[in-house]
Amino acid sequence: MWRDHLTEIIVFTALFLLVSAMGFVAARWRAPRDMAHLDEWGLGGRNFGGWITWFLVGGDLYTAYTFVAVPALVFGAGAMGFFAVPYTIVIYPLVFLVLCRLWSVSHRHGFVTPADFVRRRFDSPVLALLVAITGIVATMPYIALQLVGIEAVLKTMGVTGESALARHLPIVIAFAILAAYTYQSGLRAPALIAFVKDTLIYIVILVAVLWLPYKLGGWGSIFASAEAKFAASPNPGDGILLNANNQLQYVTLAFGSALALFLYPHSITGVLASRNRDVIKRNMSALPAYSLLLGLIALLGYMAIAAGVKPLPGATAGSTDGNTIVPVLFDQQFPDWFAGVAYAAIGIGALVPAAIMSIAAANLFTRNIYKEYLKRDATAAQEANVSKITSLVVKVGAVACIVFLDPQFSIDLQLIGGVIILQTLPAVALGLYTRWFHRGALVAGWVAGMSMGMWMLYQIGNPVTGRKHFAGSAFPLSEFGFDTTKTIYVGIVAVLVNLVVAALATLALRAAKVADGVDGTTSDDYFADEGDPRVTPGPTRGADAAPEPVA
Amino acid sequence: MTALDPETPQTASSRAKDHSPWNWLLFIPIVVPLIPVLFNADSPRVLGFPRFYWLQLVYILLGVATTTLVYQMTKKRGGR
């Protein structure tokens, strides 16, 4: 019953309203003279310094769903769920060089999306369209999953109803507010809200990792109770250490997820919004603070085992909703008001990435579909306007996914999303280094990688839940005819197929002397920095745009 | 931070050292966290944490140290 959680609901609502107000005020924060330009609405003026970028990208990559689902995975499967830690360690050195080049070339040419870059680099509207559609399709379910995070919190507070409408009303309201201030303030809204979100998360997690082990008898006994649980479970894949069969899966999943994460349009949006190359490089050293946080959050799964948490019932009778274990743990172990703060941290944690993702998807639509195919001569103001409206459509779509479809559908789609976004790696990431690949070959590679990924995901079943297809991303190598029980992450295999096909097709197309278009970038573009002249001029910057203290 | 005059044409090598040998160090925090033999064990425990958990958390520091070192060694002269 919700009446038992009144204090939590009041604290949650108060903090939620506070950030909503901040979202609307954000339009005036570091305000430009002219907001009607995609660089302003969609990239916050390309002028964020060290601190803002740290909060923005941190708030962007470490989503509410991560905070809820990673401990749920650790709760259910143990060590395998800890892949999130190597995953978020590996990503920063990878990004350190690659995305700096993307920043430079985008700064020079005024690119807003990765597909803009592919369009100019490979002179291929088709390839750019594929990259844009891949990005949009991969991002949509990710937005929907943020709602799953909020829902887990609302469910724990007893805010549920009999009818589907009553149950989803709070989420619809929350997203309507989010849509309104994103429409008005663009990327400045999540950038400002991220300060509140991350501060709350850091406080909650520091308190949790200091206070809960003390209450639960220390780390030794927390790991002991987790070990006891996994020893008693019939599932051979769980445990507090990896076994011989899932080590390859652990490593490939961590590496593949890291490659996928920085190809996602929303991470690129966060990076392109920064002021110069130095800001990006310094952030690659500072962002791992969030990885430490994530590692501690993952361990909340074991604390929930030690505290004897039972997940709340799921959507269908007899099932349980594993995503509720962290909210339930907080509800059991913390005083009501602090549990309310923790819930607000998760709820607001959903808003920041949801806003950035919808902006990123809207930018892709505007630049690579609307401007490319529908209205070639669109002005900057028209572009900004189309993007604002698209961001609304994207959010309505995400809410509809959760209200009308089984949330499991969004989770499956997100799993697929990670695999398909990886298929843009040869064009976007390798394209930053080499123009060797033929544009036609990159299209062929994309088709091959996509087909391979889909086929593999379709083959994966889960005997425990009785699902035959799309039940996970761990592909048994025995399907390829290897005599082994090891599994591997689908995305890695798919992207390798993609690369091999792209390389072979490049040789074939070169031999056949098929036209390869003109590279619109020069090698010098990849090192351009703040202050260097731009090929495409940006909006006129207000002289009063306040500088911020450098990190 | 803009130590360079935008009017002067600059060659790539003079203003950004993406080709610095220091960048090879970045492979360490990419490769080391992906070798399960190093961390997939229970002992020794630190503060009750099995090696699997504390060592992977320590790798975060490895990542921070490497990116910071490479940044300091490759950043433009004239910067801070």
Side-chain angles (χ1 to χ4, degrees):
Chain A
M1 258 320 272
W2 63 270
R3 282 176 208 284
D4 303 335
H5 299 274
L6 196 56
T7 318
E8 292 170 4
I9 294 174
I10 291 171
V11 173
F12 178 87
T13 313
L15 286 167
F16 193 91
L17 290 177
L18 170 75
V19 299
S20 302
M22 285 176 70
F24 286 106
V25 172
R28 295 202 206 133
W29 177 53
R30 302 159 62 88
R33 289 233 174 95
D34 177 20
M35 190 71 164
H37 193 294
L38 210 49
D39 274 8
E40 293 298 340
W41 184 84
L43 288 179
R46 295 185 189 259
N47 196 31
F48 289 154
W51 280 106
I52 303 176
T53 303
W54 188 72
F55 278 109
L56 181 74
V57 176
D60 186 16
L61 302 188
Y62 302 82
T63 69
Y65 179 69
T66 318
F67 290 155
V68 165
V70 168
L73 193 58
V74 170
F75 179 88
M80 194 63 213
F82 214 64
F83 87 93
V85 172
Y87 154 37
T88 55
I89 296 172
V90 165
I91 183 166
Y92 298 113
L94 273 176
V95 168
F96 190 86
L97 294 174
V98 179
L99 286 193
C100 272
R101 291 174 74 94
L102 182 63
W103 185 92
S104 290
V105 73
S106 303
H107 174 79
R108 177 63 68 84
H109 290 272
F111 301 149
V112 180
T113 69
D116 283 350
F117 160 71
V118 169
R119 171 82 176 79
R120 184 75 56 90
R121 174 72 145 166
F122 292 99
D123 194 14
S124 168
V126 177
L127 188 59
L129 181 68
L130 288 179
V131 171
I133 291 176
T134 313
I136 293 171
V137 171
T139 306
M140 288 287 287
Y142 219 151
I143 302 173
L145 280 189
Q146 303 311 314
L147 292 159
V148 173
I150 302 186
E151 236 182 3
V153 167
L154 291 172
K155 210 188 240 181
T156 315
M157 289 196 293
V159 186
T160 52
E162 288 304 309
S163 69
L165 183 68
R167 195 163 64 241
H168 294 297
L169 194 60
I171 286 190
V172 174
I173 295 171
F175 251 50
I177 298 174
L178 172 71
Y181 63 66
T182 311
Y183 181 88
Q184 190 193 332
S185 310
L187 196 64
R188 285 180 172 79
L192 196 55
I193 293 172
F195 283 88
V196 180
K197 175 224 159 185
D198 294 341
T199 310
L200 286 179
I201 293 260
Y202 274 103
I203 294 172
V204 167
I205 297 308
L206 284 178
V207 170
V209 297
L210 294 174
W211 166 247
L212 291 179
Y214 166 75
K215 256 190 113 176
L216 298 170
W219 285 105
S221 87
I222 289 173
F223 282 109
S225 46
E227 215 166 355
K229 180 197 159 178
F230 295 129
S233 94
N235 183 350
D238 61 14
I240 65 165
L241 296 179
L242 298 172
N243 56 47
N245 289 334
N246 61 12
Q247 289 187 17
L248 183 63
Q249 164 73 4
Y250 185 88
V251 168
T252 49
L253 181 60
F255 187 61
S257 305
L259 290 177
L261 184 59
F262 80 86
L263 291 168
Y264 267 109
H266 62 272
S267 352
I268 291 178
T269 299
V271 168
L272 293 188
S274 51
R275 184 194 296 149
N276 56 35
R277 288 169 67 102
D278 261 22
V279 166
I280 301 173
K281 290 196 170 183
R282 282 204 310 269
N283 258 288
M284 293 311 128
S285 306
L287 278 166
Y290 286 93
S291 306
L292 183 61
L293 191 70
L294 182 62
L296 298 173
I297 289 172
L299 293 174
L300 289 176
Y302 287 160
M303 295 186 208
I305 295 175
V309 167
K310 297 268 177 293
L312 296 177
T316 50
S319 69
T320 56
D321 182 354
N323 289 332
T324 55
I325 60 136
V326 165
V328 171
L329 176 72
F330 288 165
D331 188 41
Q332 282 181 4
Q333 302 289 331
F334 285 145
D336 282 354
W337 68 270
F338 194 72
V341 173
Y343 294 168
I346 297 175
I348 299 166
L351 301 181
V352 173
I356 304 172
M357 288 168 192
S358 65
I359 289 169
N363 288 348
L364 280 170
F365 174 81
T366 306
R367 298 282 296 202
N368 309 108
I369 296 175
Y370 172 76
K371 192 168 164 119
E372 182 76 44
Y373 291 98
L374 302 176
K375 193 167 164 54
R376 276 282 165 102
D377 55 348
T379 64
Q382 281 170 330
E383 276 187 31
N385 208 30
V386 169
S387 232
K388 287 165 91 169
I389 293 166
T390 313
S391 83
L392 293 182
V393 176
V394 166
K395 287 197 202 70
V396 171
V399 173
C401 274
I402 292 297
V403 173
F404 297 111
L405 303 170
D406 184 347
Q408 185 60 42
F409 187 66
S410 298
I411 296 172
D412 295 349
L413 278 179
Q414 202 261 344
L415 177 80
I416 298 170
V419 174
I420 68 171
I421 198 72
L422 263 178
Q423 306 315 318
T424 63
L425 179 110
V428 178
L430 296 186
L432 286 167
Y433 281 93
T434 173
R435 182 63 171 72
W436 181 78
F437 288 106
H438 191 284
R439 57 183 178 177
L442 287 171
V443 173
W446 182 90
V447 171
M450 218 53 147
S451 319
M452 187 69 187
M454 286 300 148
W455 175 79
M456 288 172 80
L457 286 169
Y458 185 79
Q459 296 297 318
I460 297 172
N462 183 343
V464 180
T465 55
R467 298 184 47 171
K468 289 201 174 65
H469 307 295
F470 298 111
S473 62
F475 188 82
L477 282 176
S478 54
E479 294 258 352
F480 286 134
F482 293 107
D483 180 24
T484 172
T485 47
K486 290 189 198 315
T487 56
I488 191 167
Y489 175 55
V490 172
I492 288 286
V493 180
V495 80
L496 285 177
V497 169
N498 183 336
L499 284 170
V500 169
V501 170
L504 292 177
T506 297
L507 295 174
L509 290 169
R510 286 275 145 75
K513 297 200 165 42
V514 178
D516 193 14
V518 180
D519 184 358
T521 66
T522 65
S523 68
D524 192 45
D525 290 347
Y526 296 89
F527 305 105
D529 206 344
E530 182 188 22
D532 285 345
R534 295 173 60 162
V535 174
T536 316
T540 47
R541 172 150 305 286
D544 50 348
E548 55 154 342
V550 277
Chain B
M1 242 169 281
T2 48
L4 299 157
D5 182 1
E7 298 303 313
T8 333
Q10 297 284 335
T11 57
S13 58
S14 74
R15 69 170 169 206
K17 301 191 189 75
D18 266 13
H19 300 296
S20 163
W22 286 102
N23 287 329
W24 291 101
L25 280 180
L26 292 172
F27 278 96
I28 296 173
I30 296 176
V31 172
V32 171
L34 298 178
I35 305 173
V37 184
L38 299 179
F39 56 79
N40 192 31
D42 194 297
S43 67
R45 288 206 175 203
V46 173
L47 300 171
F49 282 66
R51 193 209 300 177
F52 184 84
Y53 299 91
W54 68 256
L55 188 54
Q56 293 198 69
L57 292 174
V58 168
Y59 286 161
I60 297 175
L61 296 179
L62 176 72
V64 172
T66 316
T67 43
T68 308
L69 178 69
V70 174
Y71 169 66
Q72 292 296 337
M73 290 303 169
T74 57
K75 73 179 172 183
K76 287 175 294 196
R77 291 205 188 91
R80 281 159 305 113

